Amino acid sequence: MSTPTRPSDNYSPLYFLGSLGAGGLSVTFFMYLFMWVPHKGIPVPTFEHIWAALTTGGPLQQAAILIAWAGIAFFVFLNLKYLIWNLNAFSAFKKTDAYQKLRNSNAETTITAMPLAMAMTINGLFVAGLAFVPGLWSIVEYLFPLAMIAFGLVGILALNIIGDFLGRVLTKGGVFDVTAHNSFAQLTPAFALSMVGVGFAAPAAMSQSTVTVGIALVLSTFFSVAAALYMVVAMITAFNSMLHHGTAKESGPTLMVIVPIMTILGITFLRQSHGLHVTFEAHGSTADSLMLLSRLLTVQVIFLMLGLLVLRRQGYFKEFVFGPKTSPGSYALVCPGVALSVMLQFWLNKGLVAAGVVDKYSLAFWLISVLAVAFQVAMIALVLRLNKQHFGYSSSDKKNVAVPAE
């Protein structure tokens, strides 16, 4: 009789992306509340705003709130579940020869998926607190410093991992395999840094304390600029390798990692702009926001088309999503869809509607909203599919062994 196994038993730090994707989906449900529940005088809706809308709103609004609550609760739970599983699995993985091999290869940067997932969890817990905890806003000024400490610790962890990698490859010639750099897998550190940056930007947009806002602006700028610099360098060198050697098939989904990074940086810039406006009277226009979001969305669409083109030509979905093979890197497919869903909501509400291009609740408004929800629903289905593939037991054979990521 064959022994029951799971692809996830062949551990890779890329499984932290499973926790990340679930956390991202919780944010897509919060967008319902953020954009559709009135919260005058406060940057984000709280439990009190949501409850008032639930008890006095129409059937459609009530349904949207109930769906949002259920979605936030479920995906924050999955986020925490897979984060804890990954931390335990990674602790055991560190004691193996495979870990030492990973630390001396290009794939060392996949470890930054850990602080990336941790930062997402902090964001997810804040979202859950706003949605479910009565009176949270009354103590939020005490929570912001604690949140910044948490993001600071995660940021230090990410910088240490990146420092170990760069210190090794930049001081010892020939240890970085350029031929295996034929994907955007090396952009994971930039992704992690940007997630820390957007976390720091939250107090910049929401706090009433000038000191808190100032510190948040400086730290969010540091991590966001660091992410952008790392992203540009990694992209240029990776493109060179891909042009010479083609795109690594298993790492094909990383071609679209630019999509979530653009969403994160876009939210960071909007939060910073709001904080500068409210606290320091630096006024930006709605047209500025519209153009910023439109440019970032354009970058996302271009890299989405590029990634899907390569994945289709390589038959990635047929083999790794709907076929017999598994790869932990498949979880990277969730991030672009989640990011596009969130970006479309911001582009519509903080761009088109705010600038007067589209009327709220008009036909055009709902068409774009439906597109955002469609991306969300597709990613929910993908997450459930991947979780079943990677964490479900099956008879051990070659088809069900996870392919190591490069």
Side-chain angles (χ1 to χ4, degrees):
M1 182 180 293
S2 57
T3 304
T5 61
R6 302 182 303 176
S8 57
D9 293 335
N10 188 16
Y11 185 73
S12 165
L14 289 176
Y15 276 117
F16 276 104
L17 298 181
S19 172
L20 173 72
L25 282 169
S26 71
V27 174
T28 64
F29 282 99
F30 184 74
M31 295 304 292
Y32 293 7
L33 307 176
F34 183 49
M35 300 302 181
W36 300 342
V37 172
H39 47 95
K40 187 176 181 179
I42 297 180
V44 289
T46 63
F47 173 82
E48 287 75 18
H49 296 106
I50 300 165
W51 183 256
L54 180 66
T55 53
T56 62
L60 289 178
Q61 187 178 47
Q62 291 174 332
I65 290 172
L66 293 175
I67 292 171
W69 264 348
I72 292 169
F74 178 71
F75 284 106
V76 167
F77 168 76
L78 281 189
N79 169 258
L80 290 169
K81 173 185 175 181
Y82 287 113
L83 178 66
I84 294 169
W85 178 88
N86 269 284
L87 291 173
N88 289 330
F90 183 76
S91 179
F93 178 65
K94 289 178 68 175
K95 301 173 184 177
T96 67
D97 292 337
Y99 174 74
Q100 297 304 322
K101 182 180 178 182
L102 179 140
R103 287 295 302 268
N104 290 284
S105 70
N106 291 14
E108 182 180 8
T109 53
T110 61
I111 302 174
T112 55
M114 177 169 56
L116 170 60
M118 290 177 172
M120 183 71 254
T121 296
I122 299 172
N123 287 315
L125 289 174
F126 184 66
V127 162
L130 290 172
F132 295 112
V133 180
L136 184 70
W137 198 255
S138 65
I139 60 169
V140 75
E141 291 295 344
Y142 300 100
L143 297 179
F144 285 143
L146 296 176
M148 288 196 291
I149 291 171
F151 280 115
L153 293 173
V154 173
I156 291 170
L157 174 61
L159 290 172
N160 281 335
I161 297 170
I162 295 168
D164 286 343
F165 171 73
L166 292 179
R168 177 175 64 84
V169 301
L170 294 179
T171 58
K172 299 177 182 178
V175 298
F176 185 78
D177 186 358
V178 178
T179 62
H181 185 32
N182 52 339
S183 71
F184 281 173
Q186 292 300 324
L187 267 67
T188 308
F191 197 177
L193 293 173
S194 66
M195 188 66 75
V196 174
V198 77
F200 274 119
M206 303 179 202
S207 177
Q208 300 298 311
S209 166
T210 302
V211 174
T212 299
V213 172
I215 294 172
L217 284 170
V218 171
L219 292 176
S220 62
T221 298
F222 172 82
F223 281 99
S224 298
V225 171
L229 288 172
Y230 200 104
M231 177 181 67
V232 170
V233 172
M235 281 178 58
I236 292 172
T237 54
F239 255 117
N240 181 60
S241 182
M242 284 188 286
L243 290 173
H244 281 85
H245 307 287
T247 303
K249 187 170 185 177
E250 188 192 347
S251 300
T254 64
L255 292 177
M256 297 181 289
V257 74
I258 300 296
V259 177
I261 293 177
M262 289 298 102
T263 291
I264 293 170
L265 292 179
I267 296 172
T268 300
F269 298 150
L270 289 177
R271 286 176 170 179
Q272 289 179 333
S273 177
H274 184 78
L276 289 168
H277 169 73
V278 173
T279 306
F280 299 105
E281 298 184 0
H283 304 294
S285 69
T286 54
D288 293 333
S289 297
L290 173 61
M291 291 310 299
L292 169 66
L293 293 171
S294 296
R295 288 162 183 156
L296 295 176
L297 183 60
T298 299
V299 174
Q300 291 179 309
V301 171
I302 289 171
F303 278 94
L304 179 69
M305 291 190 298
L306 174 64
L308 292 177
L309 171 67
V310 173
L311 292 175
R312 183 176 62 83
R313 292 283 183 92
Q314 291 182 331
Y316 184 92
F317 288 96
K318 183 178 180 181
E319 289 191 35
F320 291 102
V321 179
F322 303 109
K325 295 183 180 180
T326 58
S327 167
S330 296
Y331 278 99
L333 293 169
V334 179
C335 303
V338 168
L340 274 171
S341 179
V342 173
M343 177 58 90
L344 284 170
Q345 291 275 19
F346 273 100
W347 180 64
L348 171 61
N349 291 276
K350 300 301 181 180
L352 296 174
V353 172
V357 178
V358 170
D359 292 329
K360 195 162 188 176
Y361 307 131
S362 64
L363 177 60
F365 176 91
W366 287 118
L367 288 175
I368 298 173
S369 296
V370 166
L371 181 60
V373 172
F375 276 112
Q376 178 196 37
V377 171
M379 292 307 102
I380 291 172
L382 180 59
V383 164
L384 297 179
R385 166 68 179 173
L386 293 176
N387 287 349
K388 181 179 180 181
Q389 272 187 310
H390 289 264
F391 293 92
Y393 283 95
S394 60
S395 297
S396 60
D397 53 56
K398 289 185 177 180
K399 292 191 300 181
N400 294 303
V401 175
V403 182
E406 291 295 333

